[in-house]
Amino acid sequence: MARPFRALQMPHLRESIKDSAWRQITESGASSLSLRKIAREIGITAPAIYNYFPDRDALVTALIIDAYASFGDFQHEAKASFPEPGQAAERLRATGIAYRRWAIKYPHRYMLIFGSPVPGYVPPMQELLPVMMRSLGALTAVIAELHIAGRLEVRGIPHPLIEPGHRFFSLPDTADPGTFAVYSVAMLIWSRVHGLVSLEITGQLPPFAEDGEALYRYELDAICLQFIRPSQDGEDVISSTRSRSSQ
Amino acid sequence: MARPFRALQMPHLRESIKDSAWRQITESGASSLSLRKIAREIGITAPAIYNYFPDRDALVTALIIDAYASFGDFQHEAKASFPEPGQAAERLRATGIAYRRWAIKYPHRYMLIFGSPVPGYVPPMQELLPVMMRSLGALTAVIAELHIAGRLEVRGIPHPLIEPGHRFFSLPDTADPGTFAVYSVAMLIWSRVHGLVSLEITGQLPPFAEDGEALYRYELDAICLQFIRPSQDGEDVISSTRSRSSQ
DNA sequence: AGTGTAAATATACGCTGTTTATTTGAAAAC
DNA sequence: GTTTTCAAATAAACAGCGTATATTTACACT
């Protein structure tokens, strides 16, 4: 037989392929992803996959895009959990907490996005930039809101090399040229949560530093203390479990 | 012919294998490392490699150990460049600068150590822990020296889950139980430099944040401001390009 | 000189991604 | 209601991979 009756075949074969790929990645990591194994699992032959993805890298890219969507939803939901204008600090913390929670919930998806666990795969940045920007846009938007409210500490922040018309992130419309510091702050915060989270979920934190949660909470506190100024209308920075020496 | 004359063969075949492996990794990344390609390059057959490494993972482990040695040397040299007891802050900065410099000089080695770019490879922690600890020991020792000098800001640092006899890092002998905060601070600082450096060398910093050097210098300054207290004998914290608001 | 061993080769197995040619169900056209 | 057309599947094959097995052979020791 060459082609089964359409009534008998799975109508959403493209989705089935991705589902099987995710199952493999969840079980044994992205490095062991195999087109033939996928085909075996869903009962087709390996070349049939090429009707839905031009090659293995295209499948991986599709998986990454889906993972970014899931991650981005998580981020934006966390941001939306504190919608009041005065709650920018809480929004920042919430997105930070959500960042680690998503990474721990889907460690392989996290590594698929932010690591490079697939053998010869090189991410097509042109294709991935939009979803990447949407995901990181939650964090950037929060920081931009802090900046607009005059609560972002921007002294000493290096200027990003960006021309005015060239904006990737979702950023409220302002003419303030100092706004570009927002990008740098976003990168700095992102690199900090990424550093701790990636070391934790890859098991690279030494045995005695098992309590990733405590380290992460401390790090979020430190980030807030570094970049958030107290609001001028009496609302204080969010409560912190530690204090800081005056410097 | 089955076995060439010893006079004709390369006497250091094990080293030749590793050299060829490094060449491949440097040229096309660790994911495309191939035993058969190595054998082809140095003019032997693929199974001959099994006389020197039980399998491909053992070769990768040997490469990682060598990379750790190079990285550790770099770290300890940077630390030794400010040998005076009062120069602990400079030592911290120097190790931080050296961290990024080594990573940029050998990006594939960095990813081989701190990423997971080889298909099915799972690092044998028991074997790698010593070299890993020696490398990170430079940073930890500097922080411990700061702590002993009373210049480490440890308020609010979460306690690591470690029993007293169980020490991995090279740490000066003190009975101070608060010393364990040193471990947490080391992990926090490590995760921050790792986060920024890994994003930079994998090209994941968005296009406008190309100036990784500026971001990194800012981050090092922030780290010093957060964890180093001014010395009590008049020596101030190292000069910084930015100031901080009182909080 | 003879023997044992270690290091290399030759061969083969099963796996991978991918390409080609071929078949065939289903829909469209007449 | 045929016939044509097309898309989706299969079958077969290729090159490359890590690795296991059996075999050859140069060297060292007795």
Side-chain angles (χ1 to χ4, degrees), chain A residues 22 25-26 66-67 70 102 106-114:
Chain A
W22 278 125
I25 287 175
T26 302
D66 286 358
S70 161
W102 189 87
Y106 308 109
H108 289 118
R109 300 192 188 199
Y110 187 90
M111 290 316 292
L112 190 66
I113 292 179
F114 296 117

Side-chain angles (χ1 to χ4, degrees), chain A residues 82 88-98 142 216-217 220-222 224 228 238-240:
Chain A
F82 290 96
E90 285 80 2
R91 270 198 293 283
L92 180 60
R93 260 192 89 82
T95 55
I97 292 291
V142 173
Y216 193 77
R217 298 188 94 87
L220 277 189
D221 285 341
C224 290
I228 299 183
I238 61 174
S239 66
S240 165

Side-chain angles (χ1 to χ4, degrees), chain B residues 116-171:
Chain B
S116 42
V118 180
Y121 180 77
V122 284
M125 270 302 170
Q126 188 182 358
E127 198 172 350
L128 293 179
L129 209 54
V131 285
M132 181 182 176
M133 290 305 158
R134 186 187 96 89
S135 302
L136 298 180
L139 171 63
T140 312
V142 174
I143 295 168
E145 290 157 12
L146 278 169
H147 178 56
I148 291 172
R151 295 184 59 192
L152 189 69
E153 179 59 69
V154 292
R155 275 178 283 181
I157 301 284
H159 286 204
L161 310 172
I162 178 174
E163 54 271 31
H166 197 211
R167 55 181 56 171
F168 290 98
F169 285 112
S170 64
L171 190 70

Side-chain angles (χ1 to χ4, degrees), chain A residues 140-141 143-144 147 152 154 157 160 171 178-187:
Chain A
T140 312
I143 295 168
H147 178 56
L152 189 70
V154 293
I157 301 285
L171 190 71
T179 300
F180 298 131
V182 165
Y183 295 128
S184 291
V185 172
M187 290 302 101

Side-chain angles (χ1 to χ4, degrees), chain B residues 5 11 16 43 98 102 104 131 172 182 209 240:
Chain B
F5 292 86
S16 300
W102 189 88
I104 287 180
V131 285
V182 165
S240 164

